[in-house]
Amino acid sequence: MEQKLAERMRADGPVTGNWVSLSDPTVAELYAELGFEFVLIDTEHTSSSLETVTESIRAVDAATTEAASVVRVPAVDATTIKRVLDLGVDGIMTPMVEGPDDAAAVVEAVRYPPDGIRGVGAGRANRYGLDLATKLETANEYLTTIVQIETRRGVEQAGAIAVTEGIDSLFVGPADLSHSLGSFADWHGEEYEDAVKRVIRAGHDADKPVGTLAIGDEQLERWAAFDFDYVIVGYDVGYHIEGSRHAKETYESIYDSSE
């Protein structure tokens, strides 16, 4: 990828990603081939191991497009972040960031000393040591660090999180945020809308792109009306559910009408 993902997220026009929960790297490769700006590989709520994540990253890199690979790590944990970065990913997303201390801990985990605590080791990210010296100097130039705002406290602290040096982007986690506000999946609720707008404003005040996840046409239309810089437009499990359910119901309807 020639340009840092965070910079591509600022582009005029639609900037889209796709979400991968399934461990087969074919899924990630297919999404990359479809022309998404990035593929998000989830490890917070999936059974994927580091080995399967590595193959998914390789699959994205093998595609004929310029798609970037982003891995969502399970938590603000320096060891986990280090191991994922060593796989050669273009960026990470960290869930449940609730304040500037959390944000600073993420940045510290992403950066090598003296700016952080990331350990030095040979891995795929530096061609197994062949480019280690170069990558030690340039890692901050190409890695994109995204933090999720998905709690009431996170919204309250969004401004302080956004201005943390080294944070490249904010991401509204819709399910957890709505649940935190006591109105799960109520995307039209006034409190939820206000929270989303507050996060977007905090990001833009700090000149940081802000994104979210949309599932289905109604959500896509809804969030298009907001000032998001990029949107993850769906996820693999959802496509399987909706496509399979539609095909099943369509055939059953046709079968019943032919009797």
Short mmCIF file of all heavy atoms in Angstrom, two decimals, residues 69-121:
data_model
loop_
_atom_site.label_atom_id
_atom_site.label_comp_id
_atom_site.label_asym_id
_atom_site.label_seq_id
_atom_site.Cartn_x
_atom_site.Cartn_y
_atom_site.Cartn_z
N SER A 69 -4.98 -3.74 5.07
CA SER A 69 -5.44 -4.68 6.08
C SER A 69 -5.41 -4.02 7.45
O SER A 69 -4.43 -3.37 7.82
CB SER A 69 -4.56 -5.93 6.08
OG SER A 69 -3.21 -5.60 6.33
N VAL A 70 -6.51 -4.17 8.18
CA VAL A 70 -6.62 -3.65 9.54
C VAL A 70 -7.08 -4.80 10.43
O VAL A 70 -8.00 -5.53 10.07
CB VAL A 70 -7.63 -2.48 9.63
CG1 VAL A 70 -7.75 -1.99 11.07
CG2 VAL A 70 -7.23 -1.35 8.70
N VAL A 71 -6.46 -4.95 11.58
CA VAL A 71 -6.87 -5.98 12.53
C VAL A 71 -7.43 -5.31 13.78
O VAL A 71 -6.80 -4.42 14.36
CB VAL A 71 -5.70 -6.89 12.91
CG1 VAL A 71 -6.10 -7.84 14.05
CG2 VAL A 71 -5.24 -7.71 11.71
N ARG A 72 -8.65 -5.74 14.16
CA ARG A 72 -9.16 -5.29 15.45
C ARG A 72 -8.65 -6.23 16.53
O ARG A 72 -8.95 -7.43 16.51
CB ARG A 72 -10.69 -5.25 15.48
CG ARG A 72 -11.19 -4.77 16.86
CD ARG A 72 -12.64 -4.43 16.90
NE ARG A 72 -13.50 -5.61 16.89
CZ ARG A 72 -14.80 -5.59 17.22
NH1 ARG A 72 -15.36 -4.44 17.58
NH2 ARG A 72 -15.53 -6.68 17.17
N VAL A 73 -7.88 -5.69 17.45
CA VAL A 73 -7.35 -6.48 18.55
C VAL A 73 -8.41 -6.59 19.64
O VAL A 73 -9.37 -5.82 19.66
CB VAL A 73 -6.05 -5.86 19.10
CG1 VAL A 73 -4.95 -5.86 18.05
CG2 VAL A 73 -6.30 -4.43 19.59
N PRO A 74 -8.27 -7.55 20.57
CA PRO A 74 -9.32 -7.76 21.57
C PRO A 74 -9.41 -6.66 22.64
O PRO A 74 -10.48 -6.47 23.23
CB PRO A 74 -8.94 -9.10 22.21
CG PRO A 74 -8.02 -9.75 21.25
CD PRO A 74 -7.29 -8.64 20.58
N ALA A 75 -8.30 -5.98 22.91
CA ALA A 75 -8.29 -5.02 24.01
C ALA A 75 -7.06 -4.14 23.92
O ALA A 75 -6.18 -4.35 23.08
CB ALA A 75 -8.28 -5.77 25.36
N VAL A 76 -7.01 -3.14 24.80
CA VAL A 76 -5.82 -2.30 24.92
C VAL A 76 -4.76 -3.12 25.66
O VAL A 76 -4.68 -3.10 26.89
CB VAL A 76 -6.12 -0.99 25.67
CG1 VAL A 76 -4.87 -0.13 25.75
CG2 VAL A 76 -7.26 -0.23 25.01
N ASP A 77 -3.98 -3.85 24.91
CA ASP A 77 -2.99 -4.76 25.49
C ASP A 77 -1.73 -4.72 24.64
O ASP A 77 -1.75 -5.08 23.46
CB ASP A 77 -3.55 -6.18 25.55
CG ASP A 77 -2.53 -7.17 26.10
OD1 ASP A 77 -2.33 -7.20 27.32
OD2 ASP A 77 -1.93 -7.91 25.29
N ALA A 78 -0.64 -4.27 25.24
CA ALA A 78 0.59 -4.05 24.49
C ALA A 78 1.13 -5.32 23.86
O ALA A 78 1.65 -5.30 22.73
CB ALA A 78 1.65 -3.41 25.39
N THR A 79 1.03 -6.45 24.55
CA THR A 79 1.56 -7.69 24.03
C THR A 79 0.79 -8.14 22.79
O THR A 79 1.37 -8.51 21.76
CB THR A 79 1.52 -8.80 25.09
OG1 THR A 79 2.33 -8.40 26.21
CG2 THR A 79 2.04 -10.10 24.54
N THR A 80 -0.54 -8.07 22.88
CA THR A 80 -1.36 -8.46 21.73
C THR A 80 -1.11 -7.54 20.55
O THR A 80 -0.98 -7.99 19.41
CB THR A 80 -2.85 -8.43 22.12
OG1 THR A 80 -3.08 -9.32 23.20
CG2 THR A 80 -3.72 -8.82 20.93
N ILE A 81 -1.06 -6.25 20.80
CA ILE A 81 -0.83 -5.28 19.73
C ILE A 81 0.51 -5.53 19.06
O ILE A 81 0.62 -5.51 17.83
CB ILE A 81 -0.93 -3.84 20.28
CG1 ILE A 81 -2.38 -3.53 20.66
CG2 ILE A 81 -0.40 -2.83 19.25
CD1 ILE A 81 -2.56 -2.21 21.39
N LYS A 82 1.54 -5.78 19.86
CA LYS A 82 2.87 -6.05 19.31
C LYS A 82 2.84 -7.26 18.38
O LYS A 82 3.40 -7.23 17.27
CB LYS A 82 3.86 -6.30 20.46
CG LYS A 82 5.23 -6.81 20.02
CD LYS A 82 6.14 -7.03 21.21
CE LYS A 82 5.59 -8.08 22.16
NZ LYS A 82 6.49 -8.31 23.33
N ARG A 83 2.19 -8.32 18.80
CA ARG A 83 2.18 -9.54 18.01
C ARG A 83 1.41 -9.35 16.70
O ARG A 83 1.80 -9.88 15.66
CB ARG A 83 1.57 -10.69 18.81
CG ARG A 83 2.37 -11.04 20.06
CD ARG A 83 1.84 -12.28 20.72
NE ARG A 83 2.22 -13.48 19.98
CZ ARG A 83 1.72 -14.68 20.23
NH1 ARG A 83 0.80 -14.84 21.17
NH2 ARG A 83 2.11 -15.73 19.51
N VAL A 84 0.34 -8.57 16.74
CA VAL A 84 -0.41 -8.30 15.52
C VAL A 84 0.39 -7.42 14.57
O VAL A 84 0.44 -7.67 13.35
CB VAL A 84 -1.77 -7.66 15.86
CG1 VAL A 84 -2.44 -7.10 14.60
CG2 VAL A 84 -2.70 -8.67 16.53
N LEU A 85 1.03 -6.39 15.09
CA LEU A 85 1.82 -5.51 14.24
C LEU A 85 2.96 -6.26 13.56
O LEU A 85 3.31 -5.98 12.41
CB LEU A 85 2.38 -4.34 15.05
CG LEU A 85 1.37 -3.34 15.60
CD1 LEU A 85 2.07 -2.26 16.41
CD2 LEU A 85 0.55 -2.72 14.49
N ASP A 86 3.53 -7.24 14.26
CA ASP A 86 4.62 -8.02 13.68
C ASP A 86 4.17 -8.87 12.49
O ASP A 86 5.01 -9.36 11.73
CB ASP A 86 5.25 -8.92 14.75
CG ASP A 86 6.15 -8.17 15.70
OD1 ASP A 86 6.47 -7.00 15.42
OD2 ASP A 86 6.51 -8.75 16.75
N LEU A 87 2.86 -9.02 12.31
CA LEU A 87 2.34 -9.80 11.19
C LEU A 87 2.37 -9.03 9.87
O LEU A 87 2.16 -9.61 8.81
CB LEU A 87 0.89 -10.24 11.47
CG LEU A 87 0.66 -11.07 12.73
CD1 LEU A 87 -0.82 -11.40 12.86
CD2 LEU A 87 1.51 -12.32 12.73
N GLY A 88 2.62 -7.71 9.95
CA GLY A 88 2.69 -6.92 8.72
C GLY A 88 1.39 -6.29 8.33
O GLY A 88 1.11 -6.06 7.16
N VAL A 89 0.57 -5.95 9.30
CA VAL A 89 -0.73 -5.32 9.05
C VAL A 89 -0.53 -3.83 8.76
O VAL A 89 0.47 -3.23 9.15
CB VAL A 89 -1.63 -5.54 10.29
CG1 VAL A 89 -1.18 -4.69 11.45
CG2 VAL A 89 -3.09 -5.33 9.95
N ASP A 90 -1.49 -3.23 8.07
CA ASP A 90 -1.40 -1.80 7.76
C ASP A 90 -1.93 -0.92 8.88
O ASP A 90 -1.61 0.26 8.95
CB ASP A 90 -2.18 -1.49 6.47
CG ASP A 90 -1.57 -2.16 5.26
OD1 ASP A 90 -0.36 -1.98 5.04
OD2 ASP A 90 -2.30 -2.87 4.53
N GLY A 91 -2.78 -1.49 9.73
CA GLY A 91 -3.31 -0.72 10.83
C GLY A 91 -3.98 -1.60 11.85
O GLY A 91 -4.23 -2.79 11.62
N ILE A 92 -4.24 -1.02 13.02
CA ILE A 92 -4.98 -1.74 14.05
C ILE A 92 -6.18 -0.92 14.50
O ILE A 92 -6.18 0.31 14.39
CB ILE A 92 -4.12 -2.08 15.28
CG1 ILE A 92 -3.66 -0.81 16.00
CG2 ILE A 92 -2.94 -2.96 14.90
CD1 ILE A 92 -3.25 -1.05 17.44
N MET A 93 -7.19 -1.61 15.00
CA MET A 93 -8.33 -0.97 15.66
C MET A 93 -8.42 -1.55 17.06
O MET A 93 -8.35 -2.76 17.24
CB MET A 93 -9.63 -1.24 14.89
CG MET A 93 -10.87 -0.64 15.54
SD MET A 93 -12.41 -1.12 14.69
CE MET A 93 -12.27 -0.14 13.19
N THR A 94 -8.55 -0.66 18.04
CA THR A 94 -8.62 -1.08 19.43
C THR A 94 -9.98 -0.74 20.02
O THR A 94 -10.41 0.41 19.93
CB THR A 94 -7.51 -0.41 20.26
OG1 THR A 94 -6.25 -0.62 19.63
CG2 THR A 94 -7.46 -0.97 21.66
N PRO A 95 -10.67 -1.71 20.61
CA PRO A 95 -12.01 -1.45 21.15
C PRO A 95 -11.98 -0.79 22.53
O PRO A 95 -10.94 -0.77 23.20
CB PRO A 95 -12.61 -2.86 21.24
CG PRO A 95 -11.44 -3.74 21.53
CD PRO A 95 -10.29 -3.12 20.75
N MET A 96 -13.15 -0.28 22.92
CA MET A 96 -13.40 0.19 24.28
C MET A 96 -12.36 1.18 24.80
O MET A 96 -11.92 1.10 25.94
CB MET A 96 -13.48 -1.00 25.24
CG MET A 96 -14.65 -1.93 24.98
SD MET A 96 -16.22 -1.11 25.39
CE MET A 96 -17.40 -2.41 24.97
N VAL A 97 -12.00 2.14 23.98
CA VAL A 97 -11.11 3.21 24.43
C VAL A 97 -11.98 4.28 25.08
O VAL A 97 -12.87 4.84 24.44
CB VAL A 97 -10.28 3.77 23.27
CG1 VAL A 97 -9.50 5.01 23.70
CG2 VAL A 97 -9.32 2.69 22.76
N GLU A 98 -11.72 4.56 26.35
CA GLU A 98 -12.63 5.41 27.12
C GLU A 98 -12.03 6.73 27.60
O GLU A 98 -12.72 7.52 28.24
CB GLU A 98 -13.17 4.64 28.32
CG GLU A 98 -14.03 3.45 27.94
CD GLU A 98 -14.78 2.89 29.13
OE1 GLU A 98 -14.11 2.46 30.10
OE2 GLU A 98 -16.02 2.89 29.10
N GLY A 99 -10.76 6.95 27.31
CA GLY A 99 -10.16 8.19 27.76
C GLY A 99 -8.78 8.37 27.19
O GLY A 99 -8.23 7.47 26.52
N PRO A 100 -8.15 9.51 27.46
CA PRO A 100 -6.81 9.78 26.91
C PRO A 100 -5.76 8.82 27.43
O PRO A 100 -4.78 8.54 26.72
CB PRO A 100 -6.54 11.22 27.35
CG PRO A 100 -7.46 11.48 28.49
CD PRO A 100 -8.68 10.66 28.22
N ASP A 101 -5.93 8.28 28.64
CA ASP A 101 -4.95 7.31 29.15
C ASP A 101 -4.99 6.03 28.31
O ASP A 101 -3.93 5.46 27.98
CB ASP A 101 -5.23 6.99 30.61
CG ASP A 101 -4.90 8.14 31.55
OD1 ASP A 101 -4.19 9.07 31.10
OD2 ASP A 101 -5.36 8.13 32.70
N ASP A 102 -6.20 5.58 27.98
CA ASP A 102 -6.33 4.41 27.11
C ASP A 102 -5.69 4.69 25.75
O ASP A 102 -4.96 3.85 25.20
CB ASP A 102 -7.80 4.04 26.89
CG ASP A 102 -8.43 3.38 28.11
OD1 ASP A 102 -7.69 2.95 29.00
OD2 ASP A 102 -9.67 3.31 28.15
N ALA A 103 -6.01 5.86 25.19
CA ALA A 103 -5.49 6.22 23.88
C ALA A 103 -3.97 6.27 23.89
O ALA A 103 -3.29 5.78 22.98
CB ALA A 103 -6.07 7.56 23.43
N ALA A 104 -3.40 6.87 24.94
CA ALA A 104 -1.95 6.96 25.05
C ALA A 104 -1.32 5.58 25.18
O ALA A 104 -0.23 5.33 24.65
CB ALA A 104 -1.57 7.83 26.25
N ALA A 105 -2.01 4.66 25.86
CA ALA A 105 -1.49 3.30 26.01
C ALA A 105 -1.47 2.58 24.67
O ALA A 105 -0.55 1.81 24.39
CB ALA A 105 -2.35 2.53 27.01
N VAL A 106 -2.48 2.84 23.83
CA VAL A 106 -2.49 2.25 22.49
C VAL A 106 -1.32 2.76 21.68
O VAL A 106 -0.58 1.99 21.04
CB VAL A 106 -3.83 2.56 21.77
CG1 VAL A 106 -3.77 2.07 20.32
CG2 VAL A 106 -5.00 1.92 22.49
N VAL A 107 -1.13 4.07 21.67
CA VAL A 107 -0.04 4.67 20.91
C VAL A 107 1.30 4.16 21.40
O VAL A 107 2.20 3.84 20.61
CB VAL A 107 -0.10 6.21 20.99
CG1 VAL A 107 1.12 6.83 20.32
CG2 VAL A 107 -1.39 6.73 20.37
N GLU A 108 1.45 4.06 22.71
CA GLU A 108 2.70 3.57 23.28
C GLU A 108 2.99 2.14 22.83
O GLU A 108 4.13 1.77 22.55
CB GLU A 108 2.61 3.62 24.81
CG GLU A 108 3.93 3.33 25.51
CD GLU A 108 3.82 3.47 27.01
OE1 GLU A 108 2.85 2.91 27.59
OE2 GLU A 108 4.69 4.13 27.61
N ALA A 109 1.92 1.32 22.72
CA ALA A 109 2.09 -0.07 22.29
C ALA A 109 2.45 -0.16 20.81
O ALA A 109 3.15 -1.09 20.40
CB ALA A 109 0.81 -0.85 22.56
N VAL A 110 1.99 0.80 20.02
CA VAL A 110 2.23 0.78 18.57
C VAL A 110 3.63 1.24 18.23
O VAL A 110 4.24 0.76 17.26
CB VAL A 110 1.18 1.66 17.85
CG1 VAL A 110 1.55 1.88 16.39
CG2 VAL A 110 -0.20 1.02 17.95
N ARG A 111 4.18 2.14 19.01
CA ARG A 111 5.45 2.78 18.65
C ARG A 111 6.65 2.12 19.31
O ARG A 111 6.59 1.66 20.44
CB ARG A 111 5.40 4.26 19.03
CG ARG A 111 4.39 5.05 18.21
CD ARG A 111 4.45 6.51 18.52
NE ARG A 111 3.69 7.29 17.55
CZ ARG A 111 3.61 8.61 17.53
NH1 ARG A 111 4.26 9.32 18.46
NH2 ARG A 111 2.91 9.24 16.61
N TYR A 112 7.75 2.13 18.57
CA TYR A 112 9.02 1.66 19.11
C TYR A 112 9.62 2.72 20.03
O TYR A 112 9.31 3.91 19.91
CB TYR A 112 10.01 1.38 17.98
CG TYR A 112 9.70 0.17 17.14
CD1 TYR A 112 9.34 0.31 15.79
CD2 TYR A 112 9.80 -1.11 17.66
CE1 TYR A 112 9.07 -0.81 15.00
CE2 TYR A 112 9.54 -2.24 16.87
CZ TYR A 112 9.17 -2.07 15.55
OH TYR A 112 8.90 -3.16 14.78
N PRO A 113 10.49 2.33 20.96
CA PRO A 113 11.22 3.31 21.78
C PRO A 113 12.02 4.25 20.87
O PRO A 113 12.44 3.84 19.79
CB PRO A 113 12.15 2.43 22.63
CG PRO A 113 11.46 1.11 22.70
CD PRO A 113 10.80 0.96 21.35
N PRO A 114 12.19 5.49 21.26
CA PRO A 114 11.87 6.05 22.57
C PRO A 114 10.44 6.57 22.70
O PRO A 114 10.06 7.05 23.77
CB PRO A 114 12.86 7.22 22.68
CG PRO A 114 13.00 7.69 21.26
CD PRO A 114 12.95 6.45 20.41
N ASP A 115 9.64 6.48 21.64
CA ASP A 115 8.29 7.02 21.68
C ASP A 115 7.26 6.04 22.23
O ASP A 115 6.12 6.43 22.48
CB ASP A 115 7.86 7.44 20.27
CG ASP A 115 8.79 8.48 19.68
OD1 ASP A 115 9.16 9.41 20.42
OD2 ASP A 115 9.15 8.36 18.49
N GLY A 116 7.65 4.78 22.39
CA GLY A 116 6.71 3.78 22.87
C GLY A 116 7.44 2.60 23.48
O GLY A 116 8.63 2.68 23.81
N ILE A 117 6.72 1.49 23.59
CA ILE A 117 7.29 0.31 24.25
C ILE A 117 7.23 -0.93 23.36
O ILE A 117 7.44 -2.04 23.85
CB ILE A 117 6.55 0.03 25.58
CG1 ILE A 117 5.05 -0.25 25.32
CG2 ILE A 117 6.74 1.16 26.56
CD1 ILE A 117 4.31 -0.75 26.54
N ARG A 118 6.95 -0.75 22.08
CA ARG A 118 6.88 -1.91 21.20
C ARG A 118 8.23 -2.62 21.14
O ARG A 118 9.27 -2.00 20.88
CB ARG A 118 6.46 -1.47 19.79
CG ARG A 118 6.36 -2.63 18.80
CD ARG A 118 5.95 -2.13 17.42
NE ARG A 118 5.99 -3.23 16.45
CZ ARG A 118 5.77 -3.06 15.14
NH1 ARG A 118 5.49 -1.86 14.65
NH2 ARG A 118 5.83 -4.12 14.33
N GLY A 119 8.20 -3.91 21.37
CA GLY A 119 9.43 -4.68 21.35
C GLY A 119 9.95 -4.90 19.94
O GLY A 119 9.19 -4.97 18.98
N VAL A 120 11.25 -5.01 19.81
CA VAL A 120 11.90 -5.19 18.52
C VAL A 120 12.11 -6.69 18.27
O VAL A 120 12.66 -7.39 19.11
CB VAL A 120 13.26 -4.46 18.48
CG1 VAL A 120 13.97 -4.73 17.15
CG2 VAL A 120 13.06 -2.97 18.70
N GLY A 121 11.67 -7.13 17.10
CA GLY A 121 11.88 -8.53 16.76
C GLY A 121 11.69 -8.74 15.27
O GLY A 121 11.03 -7.93 14.58
#
